[in-house]
Amino acid sequence: MATDIGYSVPKNSLAFWTDRFKKFNIKHSEAAERFGEQYLAFRDPDGLNIDLIVSNNDDIRKPWEMEEVKADVATKGFHNITLTLKNIKATAEILTDILSYKLLKQDGNRYRFITDAIENAAIVDILELPGTAGGYNAAGTNHHIAFRVKDDTILMAYREKIAGRGLSITPKIDRDYFFSLYFREPGGVLFELATDNPGFTRDEQLNELGTHLKLPKQYESSRAEIEKALPSLS
């Protein structure tokens, strides 16, 4: 399964997050180091494993800032994902041969793969645990991980490559704001490939994004029910 999500945070911010987790009684570990990067591990209320990571590379993404969490400590977006597998070999081949990742380094039974196609959120770590039990999707787990592609032409080219490896893969699925494919890689993790097109400006102006509740067409008939269940953001 995909077992851990890593978020990028600024340098010298882990002390702030440690104090904040203590304040709100969030289960967390002590700050540690992995692949030369400092990180702080914690669990969300459902038990999902999350790491706050000070990246070795400059992360110029604009952080998500709020009243109590300013830019100098705020999260900037995804840093990495960790897959926990019984055997690395077949999954590593999908990452390198199909998705053009490269093995960056190994630390014991942990392997780091990276792509140069993007500056951030470019890392997949694999933790190899031969005797571990099989994963089971439930609360506190990741259902799948998604890889971004430019458009549906590139998407379908990937479909041919993946099907050519003998893996079962879905037809192209229209998600209104993007197109996607799903396949389960040999280690058992569900992968998604998702396009940039047509994008979220399909039904809303760029300067108004996030100011209205927009729904995919298949959920429009349930708008009143969905709106009733959502918390107020005012």
Side-chain angles (χ1 to χ4, degrees):
M1 294 187 71
T3 51
D4 301 73
I5 298 171
Y7 287 95
S8 173
V9 294
K11 293 179 181 179
N12 304 315
S13 64
L14 296 187
F16 166 86
W17 287 108
T18 298
D19 291 342
R20 189 166 175 81
F21 291 157
K22 289 177 180 177
K23 176 182 176 181
F24 289 99
N25 296 314
I26 303 297
K27 293 180 180 179
H28 65 282
S29 301
E30 296 297 320
E33 186 172 305
R34 180 190 297 142
F35 292 125
E37 296 176 326
Q38 290 184 311
Y39 74 98
L40 178 64
F42 71 100
R43 288 190 173 188
D44 81 351
D46 286 319
L48 183 63
N49 296 322
I50 302 175
D51 297 329
L52 300 182
I53 303 170
V54 179
S55 176
N56 283 331
N57 301 319
D58 289 335
D59 189 340
I60 61 172
R61 288 177 293 181
K62 184 178 179 180
W64 185 264
E65 191 174 4
M66 53 187 289
E67 184 177 349
E68 295 184 8
V69 183
K70 300 304 181 183
D72 61 332
V73 295
T75 58
K76 296 187 176 185
F78 288 127
H79 176 73
N80 74 319
I81 185 74
T82 299
L83 314 181
T84 299
L85 304 172
K86 294 182 178 182
N87 187 289
I88 187 177
K89 185 176 184 299
T91 303
E93 290 176 353
I94 295 299
L95 289 175
T96 58
D97 298 353
I98 301 295
L99 300 179
S100 299
Y101 279 72
K102 296 178 181 178
L103 177 62
L104 180 66
K105 59 181 72 173
Q106 177 184 350
D107 183 4
N109 63 339
R110 184 178 290 271
Y111 302 77
R112 171 154 289 188
F113 293 83
I114 191 165
T115 174
D116 59 5
I118 49 177
E119 292 184 3
N120 301 291
I123 297 170
V124 176
D125 287 348
I126 299 182
L127 182 62
E128 187 175 55
L129 295 176
T132 193
Y136 182 80
N137 273 127
T141 65
N142 295 291
H143 182 263
H144 67 279
I145 63 172
F147 296 88
R148 175 183 178 184
V149 299
K150 183 179 179 181
D151 55 42
D152 48 324
T153 299
I154 295 173
L155 183 76
M156 297 310 287
Y158 273 113
R159 190 181 191 282
E160 289 187 16
K161 289 182 180 180
I162 294 162
R165 294 290 288 256
L167 296 173
S168 178
I169 185 167
T170 65
K172 182 172 73 172
I173 301 172
D174 186 349
R175 299 294 195 194
D176 276 29
Y177 303 108
F178 59 93
F179 300 99
S180 65
L181 300 169
Y182 295 86
F183 71 100
R184 201 169 291 280
E185 55 81 31
V189 182
L190 186 61
F191 281 5
E192 178 188 12
L193 301 178
T195 66
D196 287 346
N197 71 310
F200 289 99
T201 55
R202 182 176 189 174
D203 58 7
E204 195 171 15
Q205 295 297 315
L206 181 62
N207 62 352
E208 295 184 357
L209 286 178
T211 62
H212 305 87
L213 176 62
K214 296 295 182 178
L215 299 172
K217 55 181 176 292
Q218 66 266 36
Y219 297 119
E220 192 59 52
S221 62
S222 302
R223 173 175 286 275
E225 182 181 358
I226 293 171
E227 288 180 342
K228 186 178 179 180
L230 290 174
S232 173
L233 298 179
S234 59

